[in-house]
């Protein structure tokens, strides 16, 4: 018999009433249902704040022990609510559900999923409630998967259980052409490809975690992004085959990155490797990179990193600057990235030019440009992000019927 995997985020489980609502949805979903639950509401942020009050630099292992408690509260409450509805249920931690990870605390990666206990419970007619965001390392330590980790847990379980679909329930109705809070006229997409969703997620779209989309693509797990609070269809994320390819799928924005510049670096072979290898070894994720034109044999190198990594990154950056003979290091947190994503732009020239025109007409300066075959990203001032998203959304007429498909570029 087929299995359905559902994932519910923190907003969906934010109050006891919402927990009971989710329990009802899970009971009505079918006979073989596995639910992955996030921590309730802002529990994770509250626990992080509590850790910060106790220790300015919380020990990574102990922080994972603390944060994992949020999901364990959710799964126990949800299991209680389902049992009260007359359906047997069992709650399982990540370790109990067979989520095995590497040893990296705070950003662990799933290396194996052993679902024997989950399958046994499903065979017994139980709704299985699994704690998202967490797993167990080879040394039997609790690990967490990082922000959005519950999405990754759900997709990993769906792949291991050979589920028909992994439903991701959230507080929005699907994937939109832009954040509806910034662009109220943004349009919900019925379908997007894994490739497009991966770029959107990596560019700041919060509806799905990038690692979960990557896992789904690698294991061909269909995703259905839906609202917990409505019964309407959401957005399907799946392979491109048989799908109409929109020129533009959507616009994402991200204010969580900071710009770092190492000034007056010698312009010679090996310098880039000398800069970015230590950052990789320190587990720092570098995104956009630009190297200025050389002047008198020296150049500036700028790149973006997560703001949350700055505290640990700056000492490494100072060491790098000294090692490569650079003058100094500057950091700038007052930046934002906006990205235009669409599989159809591969065959439509002029998309980048139109995006840059829209930003120019809005009086918005571009500091860094980064591209892939289906994405164009620009770094701008953080204060300009809302105007930029609206300007680009308007330029590509994404709120107009039919424009999402092949109309753009043939106008």
């Amino acid at each position: 018999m087929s299995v359905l995997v559902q994932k519910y985020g923190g907003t969906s489980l934010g109050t006891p009433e919402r927990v009971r609502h989710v329990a009802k949805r899970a009971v009505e979903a079918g006979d073989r249902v596995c639910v992955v639950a996030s921590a309730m509401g802002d529990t994770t942020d509250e626990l992080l704040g509590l850790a910060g009050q106790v220790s300015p630099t919380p020990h990574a292992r102990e922080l994972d022990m603390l944060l994992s408690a949020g999901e364990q509260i959710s799964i126990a409450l949800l299991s209680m609510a389902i049992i009260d509805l007359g359906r047997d249920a069992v709650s399982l931690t990540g370790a109990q559900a067979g989520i095995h990870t590497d040893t990296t605390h705070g950003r662990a990666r799933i290396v194996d999923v052993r679902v024997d206990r989950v399958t046994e419970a499903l065979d017994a007619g139980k709704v299985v409630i699994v704690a998202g965001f967490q797993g167990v390392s080879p040394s039997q330590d609790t690990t967490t998967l990082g922000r959005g980790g519950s999405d990754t847990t759900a997709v990993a379980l769906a792949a291991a259980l050979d589920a028909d679909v992994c439903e991701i329930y959230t507080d929005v109705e699907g994937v939109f052409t832009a954040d509806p809070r910034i662009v109220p006229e943004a349009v919900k997409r019925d379908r997007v490809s894994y490739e497009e969703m991966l770029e959107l997620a990596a560019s700041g779209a919060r509806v799905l975690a990038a690692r979960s989309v990557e896992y789904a693509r690698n294991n061909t797990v269909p995703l259905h992004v839906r609202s917990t609070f409505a019964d309407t269809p959401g957005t399907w994320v799946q392979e491109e085959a048989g799908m109409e390819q929109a020129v533009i799928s959507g616009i994402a924005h991200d204010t969580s990155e900071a710009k770092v510049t190492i000034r007056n670096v010698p312009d010679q072979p090996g310098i880039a490797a000398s800069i970015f290898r230590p950052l990789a070894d320190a587990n720092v994720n570098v995104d956009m990179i630009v190297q200025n034109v050389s002047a008198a044999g020296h150049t500036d190198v700028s790149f973006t990193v997560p703001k949350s990594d700055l505290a640990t990154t700056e000492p490494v950056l100072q060491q790098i600057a000294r090692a490569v003979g650079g003058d100094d290091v500057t950091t700038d947190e007052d930046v934002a990235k906006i990205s235009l994503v669409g599989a159809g732009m591969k065959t439509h020239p002029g998309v980048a030019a139109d995006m840059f025109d829209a930003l120019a007409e809005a009086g918005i300066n571009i500091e860094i440009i980064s591209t892939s075959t289906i994405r164009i990203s620009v770094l701008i001032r953080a204060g300009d992000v809302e105007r930029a998203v609206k300007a680009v959304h308007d330029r590509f007429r994404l709120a107009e019927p039919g424009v999402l498909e092949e109309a753009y570029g043939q106008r």
Side-chain angles (χ1 to χ4, degrees):
M1 295 175 63
S2 61
V3 177
L4 173 65
V5 175
Q6 297 181 326
K7 178 263 176 177
Y8 291 92
T11 303
S12 301
L13 298 163
T15 65
E17 292 75 22
R18 290 184 175 181
V19 171
R20 288 193 292 268
H21 174 72
V22 167
K24 185 172 182 292
R25 294 200 75 139
V27 168
E28 294 173 348
D31 295 328
R32 293 172 66 80
V33 179
C34 177
V35 175
V36 174
S38 297
M40 296 175 67
D42 296 324
T43 299
T44 300
D45 289 336
E46 292 168 0
L47 291 173
L48 281 169
L50 185 61
Q53 293 176 46
V54 172
S55 169
T57 55
H59 189 276
R61 179 191 181 278
E62 304 311 324
L63 187 60
D64 274 0
M65 287 289 287
L66 175 68
L67 298 183
S68 65
E71 280 69 25
Q72 292 181 45
I73 292 169
S74 290
I75 61 173
L77 292 173
L78 185 54
S79 186
M80 293 174 193
I82 290 173
I83 291 169
D84 281 352
L85 291 174
R87 179 78 180 272
D88 201 2
V90 61
S91 61
L92 301 175
T93 66
Q96 291 170 332
I99 307 297
H100 293 261
T101 75
D102 61 18
T103 59
T104 307
H105 287 288
R107 294 180 182 174
R109 298 189 73 86
I110 295 173
V111 296
D112 193 18
V113 183
R114 305 169 194 169
V115 291
D116 293 348
R117 188 168 181 181
V118 175
T119 302
E120 180 182 335
L122 290 171
D123 289 343
K126 298 178 181 180
V127 178
V128 181
I129 317 298
V130 177
F133 177 66
Q134 62 182 248
V136 62
S137 74
S139 56
Q140 299 302 305
D141 285 329
T142 297
T143 54
T144 63
L145 309 181
R147 287 293 186 180
S150 292
D151 290 351
T152 308
T153 301
V155 174
L157 283 169
L161 294 167
D162 196 24
D164 290 342
V165 62
C166 180
E167 296 182 334
I168 306 292
Y169 283 91
T170 181
D171 55 353
V172 295
E173 295 183 359
V175 180
F176 283 74
T177 52
D179 188 336
R181 293 169 296 183
I182 292 178
V183 185
E185 62 272 21
V187 177
K188 179 174 71 68
R189 298 297 315 279
D190 293 329
R191 296 178 182 271
V192 296
S193 68
Y194 291 129
E195 186 182 24
E196 290 168 316
M197 192 66 240
L198 190 57
E199 291 282 15
L200 285 167
S203 299
R206 303 298 182 191
V207 69
L208 278 173
R211 281 168 58 185
S212 71
V213 181
E214 182 180 22
Y215 206 112
R217 180 189 63 184
N218 293 344
N219 293 276
T220 323
V221 176
L223 305 178
H224 192 192
V225 183
R226 307 184 63 182
S227 170
T228 306
F229 311 109
D231 292 323
T232 54
T235 300
W236 285 89
V237 183
Q238 55 193 153
E239 287 185 305
E240 294 182 10
M243 292 175 56
E244 291 182 285
Q245 290 303 299
V247 176
I248 306 300
S249 291
I251 302 165
H253 70 280
D254 188 358
T255 58
S256 69
E257 295 187 354
K259 183 175 75 170
V260 175
T261 301
I262 303 179
R263 300 191 181 280
N264 208 29
V265 172
D267 187 12
Q268 60 191 42
I271 290 297
S274 298
I275 292 173
F276 295 109
R277 173 52 60 189
L279 291 172
D281 292 341
N283 203 28
V284 175
N285 183 37
V286 175
D287 186 11
M288 309 174 81
I289 303 171
V290 64
Q291 180 173 314
N292 293 339
V293 176
S294 177
H298 288 74
T299 186
D300 294 344
V301 178
S302 296
F303 50 92
T304 60
V305 300
K307 289 179 183 177
S308 58
D309 286 346
L310 276 182
T312 56
T313 302
E314 288 197 71
V316 178
L317 291 169
Q318 296 294 344
Q319 292 176 8
I320 292 171
R322 289 193 296 269
V324 300
D327 282 352
D328 63 351
V329 178
T330 62
T331 59
D332 182 359
E333 297 185 46
D334 190 31
V335 294
K337 177 177 69 175
I338 67 166
S339 302
L340 190 64
V341 176
M345 70 171 62
K346 288 184 283 191
T347 56
H348 286 75
V351 174
D354 279 354
M355 180 182 185
F356 301 154
D357 279 345
L359 294 174
E361 290 172 7
I364 296 169
N365 185 51
I366 297 172
E367 300 185 18
I368 299 178
I369 300 171
S370 173
T371 66
S372 75
T373 56
I374 67 166
R375 173 190 49 79
I376 304 165
S377 296
V378 298
L379 197 72
I380 60 175
R381 292 286 93 195
D384 292 333
V385 66
E386 292 193 12
R387 287 195 303 119
V389 171
K390 291 175 182 176
V392 175
H393 197 274
D394 288 347
R395 170 55 66 95
F396 288 93
R397 312 195 323 273
L398 296 182
E400 297 180 20
V403 173
L404 284 174
E405 308 311 330
E406 293 295 334
Y408 173 74
Q410 300 175 2
R411 62 192 190 281

